[in-house]
Amino acid sequence: MKSFIKGLPKAELHIHIEGSLEPELMFELAARNNISLPFGSIEEVRKAYNFSDLQSFLNIYYAGAGVLINEQDFYDMTWAYLKKAHAQNVRHTEIFFDPQTHTNRGVPFETVIYGVHAALVDAEHELELSSKLIMCFLRHLSAAAAAETLEQALPFQDLIVAVGLDSSEIGHPPQKFTPVFDQARALGFRTVAHAGEEGPPEYIWQALDLLKVSRIDHGVRCVEDTRLVERLAAEQTPLTVCPLSNVKLRVFDSMEQHNLKELLGLGLCATVNSDDPAYFGGYMTENFLAVQQALALDRDELQRLVRNSFEAAFLDQAERQRFIQELDSYVADTSR
Ligand code: HPA
Ligand code: ZN
């Protein structure tokens, strides 16, 4: 099963690039940029990765991102993620970035996007790994700040497929961002939003009805609302579920209690993703392995999860069909 999972051609749809910054590279960049970290050693950093909820993680995640200063830093972080993804047979990835985490520290928007984008171009050529970029607004900041960020992104619009919404969920409902999402859609961006990770089903309704999202990021709390589950199933709205993240941030007490198998059983378009792999203990293969073992997922369920992510990706139909064929051939070849 382990080699079957590792070899599966995969798509990743929920990865915060700042969450792929491993402690080793964090230390290297801190030294390169003369920044002092609140940790004495790599072991100390890893020990601090003991979270009680989303906010306790975000505090450390924003501090870690403080070592990113120059274009090369963003390139190195992104390239390290892409190499790792490639080694796990991720064939397509849709990457979140949080410009405000950097522009609020005085790092120019173009430094961030040029550094990340250069690595994506190299991955396309050298690793045959395709990708898209999704720009997230930090929801604990104001709607006006999000609008300003959208404005800053306009010269780079051809590099960004969609806008999203992340950071502290509770107390920051999607509704707060309706006007800026309206503006983004009018400009041609697709939309996604984190909803129903820690927040209530009501936030998922708002993401659908007000932000008109193509996908819900996380969404695991949808099961508390039968009508919502019916809507998500009828429209096959993808949920980008992140199993290791959910256990690390105590959305579920253990992997055995995760509702991924239930979501599939309800006919929902669930997918598996890593969220912030450097902080939560694993990339795509580790996420699949952990849920497969805890919930005894069979090969059909694994194939369904991966197929869902190709269906849910912002790909054109020809690319989508090519990936799904690759997946189907892989499954057929490994069952003989
Ligand atoms: N939720 C909200 N914001 C985030 C996350 C998450 O899981 N990861 C990085 N920013
Ligand atoms: Zn996330």
Side-chain angles (χ1 to χ4, degrees):
M1 201 49 116
K2 188 170 177 184
S3 72
F4 174 73
I5 286 174
K6 189 165 181 216
L8 268 172
K10 301 179 230 355
E12 171 143 65
L13 306 178
H14 185 156
I15 155 85
H16 302 261
I17 199 63
E18 295 88 351
S20 74
L21 182 61
E22 293 284 350
E24 288 78 6
L25 184 56
M26 192 189 294
F27 268 80
E28 195 181 317
L29 297 182
R32 190 195 284 178
N33 293 323
N34 263 313
I35 288 170
S36 64
L37 283 170
F39 309 104
S41 67
I42 286 163
E43 296 70 50
E44 217 179 287
V45 180
R46 290 201 198 276
K47 257 196 231 141
Y49 292 178
N50 228 318
F51 311 115
S52 50
D53 58 10
L54 175 58
Q55 193 60 50
S56 66
F57 154 70
L58 289 170
N59 296 340
I60 291 188
Y61 162 85
Y62 293 130
V67 303
L68 299 157
I69 305 290
N70 299 304
E71 206 174 299
Q72 186 68 44
D73 306 336
F74 289 92
Y75 179 94
D76 291 347
M77 171 178 67
T78 307
W79 182 247
Y81 160 70
L82 292 163
K83 271 198 309 191
K84 188 83 189 182
H86 174 68
Q88 299 192 341
N89 214 21
V90 173
R91 303 285 292 110
H92 176 74
T93 181
E94 301 193 349
I95 298 179
F96 295 131
F97 72 114
D98 287 342
Q100 289 158 294
T101 299
H102 314 298
T103 53
N104 288 350
R105 300 181 289 118
V107 174
F109 190 101
E110 58 263 35
T111 299
V112 181
I113 197 159
Y114 282 146
V116 172
H117 182 253
L120 302 184
V121 171
D122 285 354
E124 180 88 57
H125 295 139
E126 294 177 33
L127 309 175
E128 273 187 82
L129 171 52
S130 72
S131 59
K132 306 275 182 197
L133 269 182
I134 302 172
M135 175 174 80
C136 282
F137 302 122
L138 299 183
R139 68 202 303 163
H140 69 279
L141 301 177
S142 68
E148 211 174 292
T149 303
L150 180 61
E151 191 87 8
Q152 289 176 325
L154 293 185
F156 312 101
Q157 189 174 348
D158 56 337
L159 305 183
I160 302 170
V161 71
V163 300
L165 196 59
D166 66 1
S167 191
S168 323
E169 186 181 7
I170 291 173
H172 303 286
Q175 178 179 280
K176 175 176 162 187
F177 295 92
T178 303
V180 65
F181 271 65
D182 282 346
Q183 203 186 343
R185 284 196 321 283
L187 287 162
F189 291 100
R190 312 289 296 266
T191 61
V192 299
H194 283 54
E197 176 187 19
E198 285 189 344
E202 168 60 19
Y203 286 16
I204 302 177
W205 284 109
Q206 288 183 15
L208 296 170
D209 291 335
L210 303 180
L211 308 188
K212 309 204 186 308
V213 295
S214 304
R215 310 194 288 244
I216 297 286
D217 296 313
H218 293 294
V220 290
R221 286 194 61 190
C222 71
V223 294
E224 296 168 28
D225 182 333
T226 313
R227 271 186 51 239
L228 177 58
V229 169
E230 284 167 10
R231 161 92 177 265
L232 292 167
E235 297 179 0
Q236 284 297 287
T237 308
L239 306 181
T240 63
V241 177
C242 307
L244 286 172
S245 166
N246 291 154
V247 175
K248 271 285 199 182
L249 302 188
R250 313 300 306 269
V251 172
F252 297 96
D253 286 335
S254 69
M255 197 59 86
E256 285 70 24
Q257 287 172 36
H258 200 287
N259 67 5
L260 180 67
K261 197 181 175 97
E262 179 189 356
L263 297 173
L264 280 180
L266 289 165
L268 298 175
C269 183
T271 66
V272 168
N273 308 273
S274 73
D275 208 4
D276 301 281
Y279 291 88
F280 299 150
Y283 291 75
M284 288 291 275
T285 294
E286 291 81 10
N287 269 277
F288 271 106
L289 268 176
V291 265
Q292 189 279 321
Q293 284 169 2
L295 305 178
L297 300 181
D298 60 24
R299 284 169 59 109
D300 285 350
E301 287 167 316
L302 293 168
Q303 185 180 5
R304 165 56 54 190
L305 286 164
V306 179
R307 174 185 280 262
N308 285 348
S309 35
F310 287 119
E311 299 284 4
F314 295 133
L315 290 164
D316 69 37
Q317 283 311 329
E319 293 170 313
R320 192 186 318 285
Q321 279 321 309
R322 190 164 51 78
F323 285 127
I324 289 176
Q325 253 164 31
E326 194 182 323
L327 167 65
D328 291 347
S329 309
Y330 174 82
V331 172
D333 290 349
T334 51
S335 65
R336 277 189 278 109

